[in-house]
Amino acid sequence: MKYASLGSGSRGNATLIEHQQHCVLIDCGFSRKVTLQRMAQLDIDPAQLKAVWVTHEHSDHAKGVQGLCEALDIPFYASFGTARKMEWLEHPLWHCIRAEQVVTLAGLSVTPVTVPHDAQEPLQYVISSDDGYKLGVLSDLGSLTPHIVEQYTGCHALQIEANHDPQLLQVGPYPPSLRARVAGNFGHLNNQQCAELVARVSWPGLKKVTAGHISEKNNDRNRVRALLASVLNCLPPDVELLEQDTVSDWYQLAL
Ligand SMILES: [Zn+2]
Ligand SMILES: [Zn+2]
């Protein structure tokens, strides 16, 4: 199994996962055209894409899902709350998923995990391949819970949100109400919370951590690197941060 980001941040998110020539997407917050262009940059043909899993209805995650899946005639998976908000309840390609109910497709078992975020029924995902690797994709959550720590334990790779630096958020350009939303328990994960989760789920098998959904206004990428380097025992330049407008490299899960 390998994975790559098609882009990550408040203007759009999508994570591509490939296993034995088949692909799935976690979220599609880009137009169909941009999504297919970025997949092509990673040498993925549209016919390889088998499904899209949606985390929640916010447009930076969901806006491209329906158009892409209709064009390719592939299913998309989302919670009832997300589907209701997106007006997908009657859509023939929508499949309803529930927290902790595993769906297996194309050699990948996808476990939806409940997270605290200000959406109708948000889920994040842990993806296990049939050859024994486990990838955790986690963004858009305001706080950590014991359940999240439990579900993301044992991952070989982790793509995790490092949204903001609390101090920079307080002095940043957001109005007080938006600032409170982002910093709240149902908002977004700050750098310290990100590092805390990485430290708590760290084990010798965790070989790759990529940080994403990094705010362009309320964060400093060097601070993210420094903090994660301290928990990963690596040098700050070796910490991989995702970009909003650029596809990442492929990250291969291997022992
Ligand atoms: Zn988001
Ligand atoms: Zn969100």
Side-chain angles (χ1 to χ4, degrees), residues 56 58 60-61 117-119 140 181 188 213:
H56 63 300
H58 292 161
D60 57 320
H61 299 265
H117 187 54
D118 53 1
D140 294 66
R181 195 217 122 202
H188 288 276
H213 219 299

Side-chain angles (χ1 to χ4, degrees), residues 96-158:
C96 188
I97 47 168
R98 276 188 242 161
E100 284 74 65
Q101 204 171 62
V102 182
V103 175
T104 300
L105 189 116
L108 296 171
S109 294
V110 181
T111 306
V113 181
T114 299
V115 295
H117 187 54
D118 53 1
Q120 296 292 313
E121 193 183 346
L123 299 169
Q124 294 291 326
Y125 297 102
V126 173
I127 303 100
S128 299
S129 57
D130 55 12
D131 56 356
Y133 291 103
K134 182 172 168 181
L135 164 68
V137 176
L138 183 62
S139 76
D140 294 66
L141 71 167
S143 45
L144 300 174
T145 64
H147 180 65
I148 291 168
V149 174
E150 184 187 309
Q151 292 292 315
Y152 285 80
T153 292
C155 286
H156 300 90
L158 194 58

Side-chain angles (χ1 to χ4, degrees), residues 7-22:
S8 177
S10 59
R11 289 184 285 111
N13 296 272
T15 302
L16 187 63
I17 299 160
E18 193 263 2
H19 179 55
Q20 296 169 347
Q21 302 300 316
H22 296 307

